[in-house]
Amino acid sequence: MSRRRQIYEGKAKVLFEGPEPGTLVQYFKDDASAFNNQKRGTITGKGVLNNRISEYLMSRLAEIGIPTHFVRRLNMREQLVREVEIIPIGVVVRNIAAGSLSERLGIAEGTALPRSIIEYYLKKDELGDPLVSEEHITAFGWASTHDLDEIVQIALRVNDFLTGLFLGISIRLIDFKLEFGRLYTDDEVRIVIADEISPDNCRLWDARTNEKMDKDRFRQDLGRVEEGYREVARRLGILPEGGPVDFKAPRLVQ
Ligand code: UDP
């Protein structure tokens, strides 16, 4: 990992120069942060699980024709992605009230929303990622009306698909955040999903017990954070026998 040139280090991931032009390597750390970086911690094994979960979900989306930056997983903590021009807007889709929506509007957590709601947040740490409107986005040129049309279409398709996929394994998709980028090819520019899709940026509740299986376990000090992420991976059927191991521990040879 250290031999490659580092492009960017975020809270949960590091981006390195990829093996070919137009590619990057996305490295998943165990570091976690919340409340605009005020709460920090480490969730041992999180990076390995998120790498695998995001690979799985992005691959399923690609199969139904939803474009993403994902190319392939390289190893336990790294994946190869296409280099895109990141649109500086976090796009949140909500099905059930939780988190900032519940706080801001006083709607009890767990209330089903009359329809899926899309929100935009400007990605700007210094400002704590403020909520912005379509008007702000187009007026300040962060994305065009055409980009936004594309983004909304993709976000709603992702929501429908992932809602069904998770319900099939008895998990409710409460809300999630997507990031988008512009992928430049020889003759066109396409809007694609970037970043990751994992329990770090989705709220996932057990459909029967409403138990939280996502980063809220970290945000709210509920404990057993890694177990929540691992259970999501287990239900998706992507957990290797004995769980993911990415360290060279002594192994008993029989
Ligand atoms: N989210 C995220 N990154 C952020 C803020 C939110 O991935 O910087 C995700 C979060 O995990 C949740 C959804 O977006 O699934 C909606 O989050 P919300 O606006 O309720 O904010 P929070 O309660 O996380 O501050």
Side-chain angles (χ1 to χ4, degrees):
M1 138 187 180
S2 52
R3 271 168 292 141
R4 281 192 282 256
R5 195 166 73 85
Q6 185 174 312
I7 308 275
Y8 170 83
E9 175 151 18
K11 293 160 210 156
K13 292 189 293 295
V14 187
L15 283 178
F16 295 97
E17 205 167 55
E20 301 137 37
T23 64
L24 298 174
V25 172
Q26 193 167 242
Y27 176 93
F28 288 73
K29 301 191 279 186
D30 285 345
D31 297 348
S33 70
F35 312 120
N36 198 29
N37 235 356
Q38 286 172 44
K39 181 181 170 83
R40 288 168 196 235
T42 302
I43 304 166
T44 307
K46 173 176 83 89
V48 176
L49 288 162
N50 281 355
N51 186 23
R52 190 73 187 86
I53 292 171
S54 196
E55 170 199 21
Y56 180 80
L57 296 176
M58 296 262 190
S59 303
R60 295 288 80 77
L61 291 173
E63 282 168 12
I64 60 159
I66 296 179
T68 82
H69 73 157
F70 178 79
V71 180
R72 66 172 180 278
R73 189 166 61 88
L74 297 171
N75 55 50
M76 296 297 267
R77 285 184 183 268
E78 292 177 328
Q79 51 182 239
L80 185 68
V81 300
R82 282 186 215 292
E83 187 172 21
V84 298
E85 180 185 86
I86 289 288
I87 294 171
I89 302 291
V91 178
V92 168
V93 184
R94 302 179 181 274
N95 300 307
I96 310 267
S100 70
L101 178 110
S102 292
E103 279 161 37
R104 200 179 324 111
L105 304 180
I107 297 172
E109 182 172 276
T111 307
L113 299 173
R115 61 183 176 84
S116 301
I117 291 175
I118 298 190
E119 293 172 347
Y120 306 105
Y121 292 87
L122 178 65
K123 278 161 54 78
K124 204 160 197 154
D125 281 344
E126 315 90 271
L127 302 177
D129 294 355
L131 181 69
V132 291
S133 71
E134 232 177 281
E135 289 276 286
H136 296 121
I137 295 171
T138 52
F140 294 114
W142 297 316
S144 67
T145 313
H146 176 78
D147 291 339
L148 278 178
D149 284 350
E150 191 85 10
I151 284 171
V152 169
Q153 267 196 37
I154 296 176
L156 291 177
R157 278 187 78 198
V158 170
N159 186 42
D160 283 348
F161 182 75
L162 291 186
T163 295
L165 184 146
F166 279 118
L167 211 53
I169 53 170
S170 209
I171 291 175
R172 287 208 283 163
L173 179 61
I174 306 301
D175 58 33
F176 61 96
K177 185 211 54 169
L178 293 177
E179 285 189 18
F180 291 88
R182 295 185 192 91
L183 179 65
Y184 290 86
T185 58
D186 287 343
D187 46 18
E188 57 165 10
V189 188
R190 271 207 302 169
I191 301 276
V192 304
I193 297 175
D195 195 42
E196 69 181 295
I197 308 178
S198 75
D200 263 10
N201 48 30
C202 300
R203 283 198 170 91
L204 302 167
W205 296 1
D206 182 277
R208 204 169 45 82
T209 63
N210 280 339
E211 196 183 349
K212 294 175 176 168
M213 306 164 76
D214 55 62
K215 204 165 96 175
D216 272 352
R217 300 201 69 83
F218 169 75
R219 292 189 189 98
Q220 301 168 3
D221 292 319
L222 299 176
R224 306 184 73 245
V225 186
E226 191 259 357
E227 283 82 349
Y229 286 52
R230 182 144 33 93
E231 179 59 14
V232 172
R234 193 192 67 77
R235 290 193 199 179
L236 288 171
I238 54 176
L239 204 59
E241 216 39 52
V245 179
D246 73 328
F247 52 88
K248 290 192 176 60
R251 216 176 274 171
L252 183 65
V253 181
Q254 294 181 325

